[in-house]
């Protein structure tokens, strides 16, 4: 049985502490793939909510000081329960506050995986040749080496996504080559992927394989959607991408998947 | 004239104190059906905003302590003005904070109606055989009895929605049997229904009939949408459901409506 | 080269301090037209974020006291850097708090342009014959005179939008006559326009011409979208409008543009 099938059978509940821009898209995307979302950033309940969940997603896209406290509480409850905690360091290099927040979360919590673009991953390990522009990645370079360096430096599974997606821990590196550039024209597609990774990571099995399958499912769904005759731009891609996440089969993933071990 | 026609003629302004996940969908859905939305949770203005509105919706989906204070202020202004106040107890059983918040709102305000799924309604009256899972309902049981018990216990109109929708006050019970399961794959469809109920309740007439018509209009719109040849999943259902709310006629409601008095 | 082409070449980063209802739509719309969005209302980083941006948008749609402080910080950083600051006074006349907030922002910041409907612009200059209803405009009158009066009184570029769009500063007045009424059934279409105006204003050139072109591009995209055979209501207009913003050409704008100097 694939991880996608296991996910759809178990519908893991994912507690998202995420930014206001992508909350709706994230919730709809988690439902579409077969998981269940819950959203809460209130310090009055984040520990309780994390404790009834199967995974916790921390996304700093519109982070405030209060949100940082909520993330620490939810992350600690998740660590105590032994469920995965995924960090999405949105725009980590854009402001000092975002970078400090990421380091604080990495210091005080046991983070299972980090999903970010090249600029964000580079910012986390002080690689200044990578540039960010707001929350988007800019610059070009060897993303495989960057992901490997970050995995070693942060002792954490890294999912560096972009034109090429790189999954690296301290021992293994896998590259995924599916996807469509148009997906980047929809806001929150990286954020939703981070939430979906959290759902896959909540299943039994080795983390690298689960993340590779999750990224393949996600990017192949975007390929299927963009090929739909009704898709004419980013606006129409949005509903058809959600449909593709809902309807994609393990067979379609197997046929289209482009994965290389590095 | 049906309540739908009256609503479209008067376009009632509904003040929504709701969660960040569904704000956009709620606003678009209220516009589509023919009402007008306003959103504010700032304690600096919620009383003023409620005072110029025709109804107030309190939805605890991403509630914080500050939001509770805002809801009390808006609810009291609405009670003073004599306009309906609807409570959507999202995930009431998920955390102690949510349950305490619901009880505080029910104690301090005059709530016109509560719209929730079976798990949420059960949590409000301490029926522990019903289970919740995050913000989704789980478990199975006699929803008619549950709604009736809640209506008596909370002395409030109950709209318990799910596969079967039950509308109950202390004297009457009506069951609505329209709808499509796929609607549950879109986040916020329960939340939007609560806002639309608030709009219908702001019209002149008996509350049970207004709520029954609102639920029929809403669920029949979902049937019309899901039958559209372009709808292939939850992603495409979203725009066509909003279109159906916009175009649905009293005639279509009359033809398809499945309602039973219990 | 048109401003649209310049914008797509330079993809200006726009810092949006905007309401929770429209964040997702605003981000997707900015990406679609060819700009880049960033959202932050945290006082811990708004100055830094404004300093790396090309323009700042202040939208009071769900304003709180904390947000006002963030807007002042971001606006001052933008003024210092010499980039445009656009105010969207959503529902300015709906509550005293909103009106006071607008006046405070106008007093303490150098605002480049204000984009609002007739009721909102009227409220800002104390014209009581215009009525607002929540965040929507109500009432009828001479919008050209109203915009001119506001431009003089507030010494600021005014973009008054509605059935007729009026762009006025103290010396010039231009009227734009494109668009479709159905666009008003989607929440946040005024808000997104304000963000897009900010992106156009960040380019080199005279402000009135940039705003006129931005409004023409936006309203003509809505005409193209509503003519699409798959658009049957506000729900389907949403994705096709985003597609039209993404695909619209300077040639299409030139052919359809209806602009008059007054």
């Amino acid at each position: 049985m694939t991880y996608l099938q296991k996910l759809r059978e178990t519908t893991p509940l994912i507690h998202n502490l995420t930014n206001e821009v992508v909350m709706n898209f994230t919730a709809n995307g988690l439902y579409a793939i077969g998981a269940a979302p819950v959203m809460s950033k209130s310090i009055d309940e984040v520990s309780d909510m994390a404790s009834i969940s199967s995974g916790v997603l921390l996304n700093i896209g519109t982070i405030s000081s209060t949100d940082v406290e909520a993330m620490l509480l939810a992350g600690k409850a998740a660590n105590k329960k032994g469920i995965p905690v995924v960090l999405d360091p949105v725009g980590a290099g854009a402001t000092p506050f975002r970078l400090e927040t990421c380091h604080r979360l990495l210091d005080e919590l046991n983070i299972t995986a980090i999903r970010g673009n090249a600029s964000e991953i580079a910012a986390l390990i002080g690689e200044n040749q990578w540039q960010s522009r707001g929350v988007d990645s800019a610059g070009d370079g060897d993303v495989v080496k960057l992901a490997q360096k970050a995995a070693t430096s942060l002792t954490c599974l890294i999912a560096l996504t972009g034109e090429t997606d790189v999954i690296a821990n301290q021992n293994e590196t896998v590259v995924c080559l599916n996807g469509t550039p148009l997906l980047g024209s929809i806001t929150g597609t990286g954020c939703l992927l981070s939430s979906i990774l959290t759902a896959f990571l909540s299943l039994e099995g080795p983390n690298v394989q689960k993340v590779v399958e999750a990224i393949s499912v996600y990017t192949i769904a975007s390929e299927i959607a963009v090929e739909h005759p009704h898709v004419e731009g980013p606006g129409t891609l949005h509903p058809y991408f959600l449909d593709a996440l809902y309807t994609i089969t393990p067979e379609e993933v197997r046929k289209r998947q482009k994965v290389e071990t590095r």
Side-chain angles (χ1 to χ4, degrees), chain A:
Chain A
M1 197 188 286
T2 65
Y3 292 113
L4 177 61
Q5 289 168 309
K6 281 183 201 167
L7 183 144
R8 286 174 174 163
E9 268 190 11
T10 55
T11 59
L13 180 67
I14 304 306
H15 179 193
N16 300 274
L17 294 95
T18 192
N19 70 74
E20 282 87 14
V21 186
V22 306
M23 281 185 170
N24 186 269
F25 185 59
T26 297
N28 278 328
L30 283 170
Y31 276 130
I33 196 82
V38 74
M39 309 260 161
S40 172
K41 292 193 280 191
S42 169
I43 53 170
D44 295 290
E45 65 168 10
V46 282
S47 299
D48 294 325
M49 200 62 94
S51 301
I52 59 164
S53 301
S54 300
V56 168
L57 179 275
L58 308 177
N59 175 307
I60 67 158
T62 54
I63 192 91
S64 70
S65 303
T66 317
D67 293 342
V68 178
E69 299 312 313
M71 288 187 183
L72 289 169
L73 287 170
K76 280 168 189 169
N79 285 167
K80 198 176 164 189
K81 195 186 171 190
I83 57 173
V85 179
V86 173
L87 173 63
D88 188 330
V90 183
T95 67
F97 177 62
R98 295 202 179 202
L99 195 54
E100 285 155 22
T101 296
C102 289
H103 285 309
R104 192 163 167 213
L105 295 171
L106 286 164
D107 285 349
E108 300 193 27
L109 299 174
N110 187 358
I111 301 287
T112 313
I114 302 171
R115 205 280 328 152
N117 62 35
S119 296
E120 290 157 354
I121 301 297
L124 292 183
I125 56 169
E127 292 277 321
N128 297 319
Q129 80 274 21
W130 291 90
Q131 289 158 6
S132 74
R133 197 148 166 289
V135 294
D136 295 314
S137 187
D140 193 25
D142 188 335
V143 288
V144 172
K145 276 191 188 159
L146 178 62
Q148 288 169 335
K149 190 169 175 185
T152 304
S153 167
L154 303 168
T155 57
C156 174
L157 181 61
I158 301 293
L160 188 164
T161 61
E163 201 184 317
T164 301
D165 302 317
V166 189
I167 297 94
N169 67 12
Q170 289 166 273
N171 308 309
E172 287 178 85
T173 305
V174 181
V175 165
C176 298
L177 297 161
N178 292 97
T180 170
L182 190 61
L183 198 67
S185 301
I186 304 176
T187 199
T189 48
C191 303
L192 170 55
L193 176 54
S194 299
S195 289
I196 286 179
L197 290 189
T198 314
F200 275 80
L201 283 166
S202 75
L203 305 170
E204 290 290 313
N207 285 350
V208 170
Q209 279 92 315
K210 289 183 287 189
V211 170
V212 168
E213 185 178 319
I215 289 178
S216 294
V217 167
Y218 195 78
T219 51
I220 291 167
S222 77
E223 292 177 5
I224 293 169
V226 86
E227 291 165 11
H228 195 290
H230 290 172
V231 172
E232 301 171 19
T236 41
L237 180 58
H238 183 142
Y240 286 98
F241 176 57
L242 291 173
D243 278 4
L245 289 175
Y246 184 76
T247 56
I248 193 168
T249 62
E251 184 68 0
E252 288 175 306
V253 177
R254 196 186 56 74
K255 277 188 187 163
R256 287 177 179 251
Q257 193 173 34
K258 292 181 200 157
V259 165
E260 294 170 16
T261 305
R262 290 291 167 91

